[in-house]
Structures are given as C-alpha cells and as structure tokens.
Amino acid sequence: MGTCIVKKLQLYADLSEDDKKLLMALQEEEEDFKAGEIIRKKGENSDHIYVVKHGWAYLSLTIDKDIRSIFDLKMDGDFVGINELSFNESLYDLVALTNVTVCPFPRKNLDIIFGKSRTLSRAFYSILSRQQALIYERIVSLGRRTALEKVAHLILEIALRYGNGIGIDASEKIDFPIRQEHLGDLLGLSSVHINRSMNELKRHGYITYDRNSLQLLDLDRLFNLANFNPLFLEKPFQDWIDKG
Amino acid sequence: MGTCIVKKLQLYADLSEDDKKLLMALQEEEEDFKAGEIIRKKGENSDHIYVVKHGWAYLSLTIDKDIRSIFDLKMDGDFVGINELSFNESLYDLVALTNVTVCPFPRKNLDIIFGKSRTLSRAFYSILSRQQALIYERIVSLGRRTALEKVAHLILEIALRYGNGIGIDASEKIDFPIRQEHLGDLLGLSSVHINRSMNELKRHGYITYDRNSLQLLDLDRLFNLANFNPLFLEKPFQDWIDKG
DNA sequence: CGATGGATTGACAATATTCAAAGACAGTGG
DNA sequence: CCACTGTCTTTGAATATTGTCAATCCATCG
C-alpha cells in the first residue's frame, strides 16, 4: 500500500491531500523476499526504486571472490535506488538480510512527480540529501576512526535509525540480525576484529549484545566515544522553501 | 555569471531557453577566495549553495586537533551544498585549496526551480545522485582497498573529473595542487604512506608526479589496479524521464 | 542427534602509523 | 642573485593496529 511511502515523506514535507493521492496512485504492489535472497542484482535494469516496508536489506558490491563492501543498510521506511536514477543499470546488489517486504515504485513515476508537485520534489530531494549526510559520516568513520570507534558509531547509527523507523527509543533492546561479517564489510574490518571490538564494548559496559539482539546501555558515553554528530537526528529542516 | 551553472546542468538535461533564463535570473555575483581561506565554516548558517567556477576547494571536518577528514574535492563546475539543504547549518567546512572563484546561489531559489521546471528539478536531482555514486565508490575504497589501490583510484577520479571539467583528456598532464597531507585526509592514510604509495606508482610507470603536476601514463593498468568502475564516466542517463 | 553457520580465541603476519631527521622547493627580502 | 624561511617531500627505524589462519565453541534446526 501507498501508506508506506506517504508516512516516510511526511517527515520531510507537509503533504497536501493531492500529494498523497498522487503518491498512492503511483504506488505498486508489494513484494516479499527471504533472508539472503538478492532483491536486485548489480547490472540489472533498474526500472524501480523501492521502499523497504518491513525487514532489513543492504546494498553491497563484491570486488573479488572474498572481498565485499557493504555501503548501506536499509530498514523500515528507507528508500533504495533513488540515487541511481541517472544510470541505466543498477550499480550495486540489493540483498535481503532478513525476510523483507519491499514496495517497488517505477522510477519514471518519480519524474511525473517532479512535474506535478513541488512539495514532493522537495521531499525526495531532501531524503536524498539526508542519505548523503549519513554517507559522509561513514567516510569519516572509515577514514579517521579506530576500529572501536567505527563499531561504536555504526551501532549507534543503526539503533537510532531503527528506533526512528519503528518508533522506539534508541536505548531499548532491539533485534539485531546483522552478522559480524556484515559489520566487517560495512566498516572495512575483518569479522574477527569486529568480534573483538563488540566484546570490548560489552566488557566496558557500553552495550549488551548477542547474536540476535543489541541494547545500548550508555548513550552518552557511546556518543562521546563515537564522536557522533547529533545533527543527524534532528527533524529535517524545511524552511529553505519559498513560502511566498 | 550564470553561464557557469547553465553549462553544468546541460550535461544532465536538455534545457529549454526558459530553463536557462530561469537559472541566469537566479544567479548571483561571484566571489573570490585565496588558497587556504575558509569559504564557509561548519555550523554557519547556510543560505547559499555554490558552484565552483574556477579553482579547487574541499569539504572537510576536523575531529580532533590533528585529525581531519576530507570527504570531497570540488573543482570547476562542481556544486557544493546541494546535499545540505535539509539542515539549517552547514555540516562541514568548505576550504579553498587554490585560489578559487565561486558563484553563490541562494538556496531558496532552488525551491523556486522545483516549482517551475521539471527539467531543472530532474537535473539537480541527477547531479545529487551522481555525487552519491562517487561517494559510494570512496566507501569501497576506504573499506576494502589497499593503500596503493586507494591512491590509484583517487588520482584516477581526480584526473577524470578535472579533465572533464576543463575539457581535456585524462591522460594529459594536469596541475595538481593537492598536498600529500590532503590526499591522506581524503583516504584515511598518513601523509607518509601517501608519499610511499605515490612513489611506488611512479616507480612502476603508472604516473609521473611532482608537487605541482600529475600525469597518468597508463590508464588501462591504472583502471585495472584501482578496480575503477567505468560507469561513472558515462554521460548521465536521461531516459528515466516520462517522455509522454 | 548430527550438521551447519556463526562466534570466539590465540598465535603470528602484514599493513600502515609515528617519530624524527634530512632534503628539496618556492617565496621573500636584502 | 643569494641567503633565509617556511612548507612539503622523502627516508629509515621502531611501533601499533588490524588481518589471517586455524582450532574450538556454541546455538539453532531439521
């Protein structure tokens, strides 16, 4: 259903009833994937963008047999593919981490939206620019943080985004379906080193963690350790629009 | 003058005369900065986006006194700030690497554009999504490439982008105003290690290089070493638009 | 119950950093 | 035109961080 997209976009702009109808009309069916399945392969024709309705997925690239890079996790309410519109094939693999439900959305519909609603144009634009801010933070992580700080920063980001998506606090215990190997591929570390870092965070009282769950015990200290920029948590700023 | 933006956007869409006029009208004066000056500081109110008209600049963040991360270089024709629109302060420092001329562009004008031209909306959107593709590649670099590969990939990207901007081939000798310390901050490496990597590329006949210039001698081997995705060089794909 | 995929651990190796010193270059003022 | 200064680059040696390999453990699932 279109509610999926509507809910997400409302965070970024005041949608009129027309906007909502426009979105709903353009929305297609939903599709389910099992954990581990490839939702969309690199090189495939990418006619659709997706909204993750439920579950976790990730964007990745396999360089050599054994070398993989994951650059983003996608969870409830996240868009996938809105950054690949000017390429005619998809640039990355989109893989289901858990069982996942996605809502495909034909990309040419996005252009219709650009023609019909300034508000929606702005909303999509804002989403894309927010995504970019997060990616820049990952670059800082990968470039200039120690392994421990990288891990701290990533699990903070995950807990905050996840909590945001399903509407709970970041300090609550959450399902954590991500294997240590995935964390390694996200941060450019070996899974062995992820293991050691996670256990160090545990030992020092930052978190509790087992293969299926994660809880952040001390947000303040984690923020501090990870040098996390709290700006990313703020509600999107809408006042750059022209009210006149 | 507005030709600066117009030229850039034409790469991404067929602009009508109206589109061009719209852009020209919204364009403001240009501003000069000397090498090393901070064009826009993190935390400052960011009412403007910029187009780099001439020269080099970079986006960076200083974490601790001595730890800095540079996540992007900006050169002739590049946009700065179009990814920070939904924040009410700028997230990063924008620093002049060489003497640089920028064209500021009030960000609320961008919203006017969203209201008036579907073509321009799409063009800006495409630019943003192209930027993101490049950033994802840097994430792959930072995460899963060796130092030598990182350096190879970065100088390839720089030579290609620079050549593109000023209209020369990537294998020609270019000005190279970037210090080894900047390269280190871009790639998360120490400047000492950058030095060793650059000299190794030199020794193996990949490049010539001194403090002020760079030439790529063997593009094929460089592409191969860096595992560079040639898709990023393609002209933007415009057919996701709705021709009907 | 055995099979499987992940987590954990230890020993060792590779890669990159740090520190410090020396060399090269461009700009400045005499 | 030269000496002087500050900024970059280059180099070597010692160190730190992270990776690799291989064995073992543990939980889950049929």
Side-chain angles (χ1 to χ4, degrees):
Chain A
M1 291 291 133
T3 50
C4 189
I5 285 193
V6 170
K7 218 172 87 188
K8 173 80 172 184
L9 289 201
Q10 275 177 323
L11 290 173
Y12 290 86
D14 292 326
L15 304 187
S16 68
E17 284 309 312
D18 279 352
D19 290 332
K20 289 181 197 170
K21 271 184 211 144
L22 189 54
L23 279 174
M24 301 289 268
L26 296 170
Q27 177 82 31
E28 292 209 327
E29 294 304 305
E30 48 184 71
E31 236 177 295
D32 291 319
F33 293 87
K34 292 228 177 68
E37 284 182 336
I38 298 182
I39 299 172
R40 198 206 53 196
K41 228 194 182 87
K42 176 189 158 163
E44 275 180 14
N45 205 305
S46 62
D47 295 329
H48 290 77
I49 63 178
Y50 298 90
V51 186
V52 176
K53 186 170 181 190
H54 184 68
W56 302 57
Y58 61 86
L59 286 167
S60 73
L61 202 58
T62 303
I63 305 178
D64 274 334
K65 289 168 264 298
D66 287 335
I67 308 178
R68 182 180 60 171
S69 182
I70 300 183
F71 10 90
D72 222 340
L73 289 173
K74 298 291 178 182
M75 38 219 202
D76 293 44
D78 285 337
F79 279 92
V80 180
I82 56 173
N83 57 329
E84 296 171 55
L85 293 171
S86 69
F87 297 94
N88 63 16
E89 55 183 77
S90 41
L91 300 173
Y92 328 105
D93 292 330
L94 174 62
V95 186
L97 180 62
T98 62
N99 291 343
V100 70
T101 307
V102 299
C103 310
F105 184 89
R107 69 175 179 181
K108 67 178 198 303
N109 290 356
L110 202 56
D111 195 57
I112 296 176
I113 285 173
F114 285 159
K116 290 201 180 154
S117 166
R118 177 202 293 205
T119 306
L120 289 175
S121 301
R122 187 198 308 133
F124 275 103
Y125 197 90
S126 292
I127 288 172
L128 193 55
S129 80
R130 285 260 151 173
Q131 277 187 10
Q132 202 157 313
L134 274 179
I135 307 171
Y136 272 146
E137 267 306 309
R138 173 128 343 114
I139 288 186
V140 175
S141 257
L142 289 167
R144 287 291 184 227
R145 291 197 244 260
T146 65
L148 193 69
E149 292 164 354
K150 288 179 195 184
V151 172
H153 197 280
L154 179 62
I155 61 179
L156 248 179
E157 182 197 323
I158 292 172
L160 289 163
R161 283 174 58 188
Y162 184 76
N164 233 348
I166 67 169
I168 62 166
D169 197 80
S171 58
E172 287 189 48
K173 188 172 184 176
I174 62 172
D175 287 339
F176 196 74
I178 314 173
R179 300 304 107 219
Q180 297 182 347
E181 200 168 329
H182 297 125
L183 294 174
D185 289 333
L186 276 158
L187 294 174
L189 297 166
S190 67
S191 60
V192 173
H193 207 71
I194 293 287
N195 183 284
R196 289 176 173 135
S197 303
M198 288 298 275
N199 285 328
E200 193 175 338
L201 290 176
K202 237 154 92 172
R203 213 167 339 112
H204 291 6
Y206 287 101
I207 62 172
T208 58
Y209 159 71
D210 64 37
R211 89 211 268 98
N212 297 313
S213 72
L214 171 71
Q215 182 169 23
L216 309 186
L217 297 177
D218 192 334
L219 283 174
D220 286 346
R221 273 171 70 224
L222 266 176
F223 267 88
N224 195 46
L225 171 63
N227 206 281
F228 198 98
N229 183 349
L231 266 182
F232 298 116
L233 309 179
E234 283 180 8
K235 278 217 171 299
F237 176 71
Q238 297 179 16
D239 289 352
W240 57 283
I241 61 177
D242 181 40
K243 302 282 191 188
Chain B
M1 289 302 127
T3 51
C4 188
I5 286 193
V6 171
K7 217 172 87 188
K8 173 80 171 182
L9 289 202
Q10 276 178 322
L11 290 173
Y12 289 86
D14 292 326
L15 304 187
S16 68
E17 284 309 311
D18 280 351
D19 290 332
K20 289 181 196 170
K21 271 183 209 144
L22 189 55
L23 279 175
M24 301 290 267
L26 295 171
Q27 176 82 29
E28 292 209 327
E29 296 304 306
E30 47 185 70
E31 235 176 295
D32 290 320
F33 292 88
K34 293 228 177 69
E37 285 183 336
I38 297 182
I39 299 173
R40 199 206 53 196
K41 224 189 184 94
K42 176 189 159 163
E44 277 181 13
N45 206 306
S46 63
D47 296 330
H48 291 76
I49 62 178
Y50 298 90
V51 186
V52 177
K53 187 170 181 191
H54 185 67
W56 303 56
Y58 61 86
L59 286 166
S60 74
L61 203 57
T62 303
I63 304 178
D64 274 334
K65 289 168 265 297
D66 288 334
I67 307 178
R68 183 181 57 172
S69 181
I70 299 184
F71 10 89
D72 222 339
L73 289 173
K74 298 291 177 181
M75 39 219 201
D76 293 45
D78 284 338
F79 280 92
V80 180
I82 56 173
N83 57 329
E84 297 171 55
L85 292 170
S86 69
F87 296 95
N88 62 15
E89 56 183 77
S90 41
L91 301 173
Y92 328 105
D93 293 329
L94 174 62
V95 185
L97 181 62
T98 62
N99 292 342
V100 70
T101 306
V102 298
C103 310
F105 184 89
R107 70 175 178 181
K108 69 179 197 304
N109 289 357
L110 201 57
D111 195 56
I112 296 176
I113 284 172
F114 285 160
K116 291 200 178 155
S117 166
R118 178 202 293 206
T119 306
L120 289 176
S121 302
R122 187 198 308 133
F124 275 102
Y125 195 91
S126 292
I127 287 172
L128 194 56
S129 80
R130 285 258 152 176
Q131 278 187 10
Q132 201 157 313
L134 275 179
I135 306 171
Y136 272 147
E137 268 304 309
R138 172 127 345 110
I139 288 186
V140 175
S141 258
L142 289 167
R144 288 291 184 228
R145 290 196 244 258
T146 65
L148 193 69
E149 292 163 355
K150 289 179 194 182
V151 172
H153 197 280
L154 180 62
I155 62 178
L156 248 179
E157 183 197 323
I158 292 173
L160 290 162
R161 283 174 58 188
Y162 184 77
N164 233 346
I166 67 168
I168 61 167
D169 197 81
S171 59
E172 288 189 49
K173 188 172 185 177
I174 62 171
D175 288 338
F176 196 73
I178 314 174
R179 300 305 106 220
Q180 296 182 350
E181 201 170 329
H182 297 126
L183 293 175
D185 289 333
L186 275 158
L187 293 174
L189 297 167
S190 67
S191 60
V192 172
H193 207 67
I194 293 288
N195 182 284
R196 290 173 174 137
S197 304
M198 289 298 274
N199 284 330
E200 194 175 338
L201 290 176
K202 237 153 94 172
R203 214 170 336 114
H204 290 5
Y206 287 101
I207 61 172
T208 58
Y209 158 72
D210 64 37
R211 89 208 269 98
N212 297 313
S213 72
L214 170 72
Q215 182 170 22
L216 309 186
L217 297 177
D218 192 336
L219 282 174
D220 285 347
R221 273 171 69 224
L222 266 175
F223 267 86
N224 195 46
L225 172 62
N227 207 280
F228 199 98
N229 183 349
L231 266 183
F232 298 117
L233 309 179
E234 282 180 8
K235 280 216 170 301
F237 177 71
Q238 295 178 17
D239 288 352
W240 58 282
I241 62 177
D242 182 38
K243 303 280 191 187

